[in-house]
Amino acid sequence: MNKPRRRSRTSIEFAHTAATHVGRVRQSNQDAYGSIPDLCVLADGMGGHRGGEVAASLAVSTTLERFDGSSLGGLVRAVATANRIILERSLADEDLRGMGTTICAMAAVVGESGFDRLAVANVGDSRVYRHATGELTQVTEDHSLVADLVRAGELTHEEAARHPQRNILTRALGIEEDPIVDAWELLPLLGDRYLLCSDGLFNELNDSEILEILDRNEDSMATVNKLVDRAVDAGGHDNVTVLIADVVEAPKVEKEAWTLPPVRGEQASSAFASGLAGLTSFSWRPIALGVGFMGLVAAIFAGIGLYARSSWHVGEHNGDIAIFKGRPSGVLWFDPTVEEITGISILDLSEPQRNAVVDVLPVGSLEEGRELIERLQNSAN
Ligand code: MN
C-alpha cells in the first residue's frame, strides 16, 4: 500500500524501533504501535473479543493518518479524531461495544515559540519516558485510579505498582465524546532517547530495572528486545510493547530549560480553538479520597469515568464472595462465569464492602482477585 509520504516540517528527525509480545497469560495482543518519520504512537486496547485490538489499532492508524505535522494542537486534534472514530465504530458494532484504548504519542512539531519542538500527548496509562544516562524521567502522567491516589498522597508508588485495581483507568479513548488529552512541548536535544511503553512493561519492571537496561546504551533494537524479554520473564501478565524514539537530528538549541511547562487538561474537541492559553483545565478525581481503601472501592463505583479493562472480577455468588471470569461486553458490563467460590459469606463483610462486592470489583487476574479478597477480609476484622 502506497501512502503519500509527508515531508517533515521540522529539522527534527527520529529513529524509531519497537517490539511487542503477547505475554504469558493473554490470548491476544491488544497493544498496537506505529510510526511515520515525524510521529510515533502506542496504544493499549481494552474490551472483550476483538474490541481491544480494534480500538488500539484504530487509535494508532488514525493518529498517524490525521496528524497534520503542524503543531502540538495538530497532534491533539489527531488524537481527538481517533477518539471519535473508535467511539463511532464501537456504537455501530455490537461486538465492539464498550471497547477503548490508551494512547501515547510523540511528534516533531513547530512549537508555540516558532522553534522546533517535540510534542507529547497521552490519554490513559501508557507512558512516555525520557532517558538520559543514569536518569529516567516519566514525561506523561497516568490517567488511572492508582495514579490519582498517589497524587493525592493516598498510596505510595510501590503500593500503586502492586495494587489490585491498578488496571482501572480514569480516561481512555473511545468511551466518551470529549476525552481530555494531556499534551506537552519538550525541547529536542540531539541524542535524546525516549521510551513509549504499555503498562505490561512497568507493571513487571520497576523504574530502576528499566533504567538499568537503558543505561547499557546498546543499539535500540537490542534495547527494546531486552526490555520486552525481561517483562515477559518477570511474569508477562499482560501484553508488553516498547517503542524507542531516538532524536537523531535536532536544531541547535537556544538556551532554554529542558521542558516547557506542560500544557495539560485540554478538552480535545475544543483544544487550541483559541490557542494554548486561556483554556480551562479539567481533571476528574475520585470522589472519596482520604478515606482509605474502602473509600477507594466506593470511588470505583461512583464510577463515571472509570474503565475496567480486565475480564476478571470479584463479586457475590449465592451469598459467598466469588471470583468470576467475565467477557467484558462493554465497560463494566460482564457476562460472567464463576471461577472460584471462596466459602466466605458476604455477611462477614462490612456494609460498604458488601455493597462493593455485590456491585462487582474488577481485577486483572484470578491472582489479583484472591489478593483483593484477602485485603477485604483483613480490613473487615
Ligand atoms: Mn496493558
Side-chain angles (χ1 to χ4, degrees), residues 26 30-31 43-46 102 125-126 167 198-203 237-241 309:
R26 303 282 162 109
Q30 305 199 332
D31 287 356
D44 176 353
M46 61 189 185
T102 71
D125 69 352
S126 297
N167 55 342
S198 62
D199 65 339
L201 181 72
F202 57 79
N203 280 335
H237 294 90
D238 193 3
N239 309 143
V240 49
T241 304
R309 57 167 166 210

Coordinates of all heavy atoms in Angstrom, one line a residue, residues 26 30-31 43-46 102 125-126 167 198-203 237-241 309, ligand 1:
R26 N -2.2 -13.7 28.4 CA -3.3 -13.2 27.5 C -3.3 -14.1 26.2 O -2.2 -14.6 25.8 CB -3.1 -11.8 27.1 CG -3.0 -10.8 28.3 CD -4.4 -10.6 28.8 NE -4.4 -10.0 30.2 CZ -4.7 -8.8 30.5 NH1 -5.0 -7.9 29.5 NH2 -4.6 -8.4 31.7
Q30 N -3.4 -7.0 22.5 CA -4.3 -5.8 22.3 C -3.5 -4.5 22.4 O -4.1 -3.4 22.5 CB -5.5 -5.8 23.3 CG -6.2 -7.1 23.2 CD -7.6 -7.1 23.8 OE1 -7.9 -6.3 24.7 NE2 -8.5 -7.9 23.3
D31 N -2.2 -4.6 22.4 CA -1.4 -3.4 22.2 C -1.2 -3.2 20.7 O -1.2 -4.1 19.9 CB 0.0 -3.6 22.8 CG 0.0 -3.6 24.4 OD1 -1.1 -3.4 24.9 OD2 1.1 -3.9 24.9
A43 N -0.6 2.3 21.7 CA -1.9 2.2 22.3 C -2.1 0.8 22.9 O -1.5 -0.2 22.5 CB -3.0 2.4 21.2
D44 N -2.9 0.8 24.0 CA -3.1 -0.5 24.7 C -4.6 -0.6 24.8 O -5.3 0.1 25.6 CB -2.5 -0.3 26.1 CG -2.7 -1.5 27.0 OD1 -3.6 -2.4 26.7 OD2 -2.1 -1.5 28.1
G45 N -5.2 -1.5 24.1 CA -6.7 -1.6 24.0 C -7.3 -2.4 25.1 O -6.7 -3.2 25.7
M46 N -8.6 -2.2 25.3 CA -9.4 -2.9 26.2 C -10.8 -3.2 25.6 O -11.3 -2.5 24.8 CB -9.5 -2.2 27.5 CG -10.2 -0.8 27.4 SD -10.1 0.1 28.9 CE -11.2 1.5 28.4
T102 N -5.9 3.1 25.5 CA -5.0 4.2 25.9 C -4.3 4.7 24.6 O -4.4 4.0 23.6 CB -3.8 3.7 26.8 OG1 -3.0 2.9 26.1 CG2 -4.4 2.9 28.0
D125 N -2.9 5.1 30.6 CA -1.7 4.9 31.4 C -0.5 4.3 30.6 O 0.4 3.8 31.2 CB -2.0 4.0 32.6 CG -2.4 2.6 32.2 OD1 -2.5 2.3 31.0 OD2 -2.5 1.8 33.1
S126 N -0.6 4.4 29.3 CA 0.6 4.1 28.6 C 1.6 5.3 28.7 O 1.1 6.4 28.8 CB 0.3 3.8 27.1 OG -0.5 2.7 27.0
N167 N -5.3 -1.5 37.2 CA -5.7 -1.5 35.8 C -7.0 -0.7 35.5 O -7.5 -0.7 34.4 CB -6.0 -3.0 35.4 CG -7.0 -3.7 36.3 OD1 -7.2 -3.2 37.4 ND2 -7.5 -4.8 35.8
S198 N 3.6 0.3 27.0 CA 2.4 -0.1 27.6 C 2.6 -0.5 29.1 O 3.7 -0.8 29.5 CB 1.7 -1.2 26.8 OG 2.4 -2.3 26.8
D199 N 1.5 -0.6 29.9 CA 1.7 -1.0 31.3 C 2.2 -2.4 31.5 O 2.7 -2.7 32.6 CB 0.4 -0.8 32.0 CG -0.7 -1.7 31.6 OD1 -0.6 -2.2 30.4 OD2 -1.7 -2.0 32.3
G200 N 2.2 -3.2 30.4 CA 2.8 -4.5 30.5 C 4.3 -4.5 30.8 O 4.9 -5.4 31.3
L201 N 4.9 -3.3 30.5 CA 6.3 -3.1 30.9 C 6.5 -2.7 32.3 O 7.1 -3.4 33.1 CB 7.0 -2.1 30.0 CG 8.5 -1.9 30.3 CD1 9.3 -3.1 29.8 CD2 9.1 -0.6 29.7
F202 N 5.9 -1.6 32.7 CA 6.2 -1.1 34.0 C 5.4 -1.8 35.2 O 5.7 -1.5 36.3 CB 6.0 0.4 34.1 CG 4.7 1.0 33.7 CD1 3.6 0.9 34.6 CD2 4.4 1.5 32.4 CE1 2.4 1.4 34.2 CE2 3.2 2.0 32.1 CZ 2.2 1.9 33.0
N203 N 4.4 -2.6 34.8 CA 3.8 -3.4 35.9 C 4.7 -4.6 36.2 O 4.5 -5.3 37.2 CB 2.4 -3.9 35.5 CG 1.4 -2.8 35.7 OD1 1.6 -1.9 36.6 ND2 0.3 -2.9 35.0
H237 N 2.3 -10.9 32.6 CA 0.8 -10.9 32.9 C 0.0 -10.2 31.9 O -1.2 -10.4 31.8 CB 0.6 -10.4 34.3 CG 1.1 -11.2 35.4 ND1 2.4 -10.9 35.9 CD2 0.7 -12.2 36.1 CE1 2.7 -11.8 36.8 NE2 1.7 -12.6 37.0
D238 N 0.6 -9.4 31.1 CA -0.1 -8.5 30.1 C 0.7 -8.5 28.9 O 1.9 -8.9 28.8 CB -0.3 -7.1 30.8 CG -1.3 -6.3 30.0 OD1 -1.9 -6.7 29.1 OD2 -1.4 -5.1 30.5
N239 N 0.1 -8.0 27.8 CA 0.8 -7.7 26.6 C 1.9 -6.6 27.0 O 1.6 -5.7 27.8 CB -0.1 -7.1 25.5 CG -1.3 -7.9 25.3 OD1 -2.4 -7.3 25.0 ND2 -1.2 -9.2 25.3
V240 N 3.0 -6.7 26.3 CA 4.0 -5.7 26.6 C 4.6 -5.1 25.3 O 4.9 -5.9 24.4 CB 5.2 -6.2 27.5 CG1 5.7 -7.5 27.0 CG2 6.3 -5.2 27.6
T241 N 4.6 -3.8 25.2 CA 5.1 -3.1 24.0 C 6.0 -2.0 24.4 O 5.7 -1.2 25.3 CB 3.9 -2.6 23.2 OG1 3.0 -3.7 22.9 CG2 4.3 -2.0 21.9
R309 N -10.4 -2.6 32.4 CA -10.0 -3.3 31.2 C -9.6 -4.8 31.5 O -8.8 -5.3 30.9 CB -8.9 -2.6 30.5 CG -7.7 -2.4 31.4 CD -6.5 -2.0 30.7 NE -5.6 -1.5 31.6 CZ -4.7 -0.6 31.4 NH1 -4.7 0.0 30.2 NH2 -3.9 -0.2 32.3
Ligands
MN1 MN -1.9 -3.3 29.2

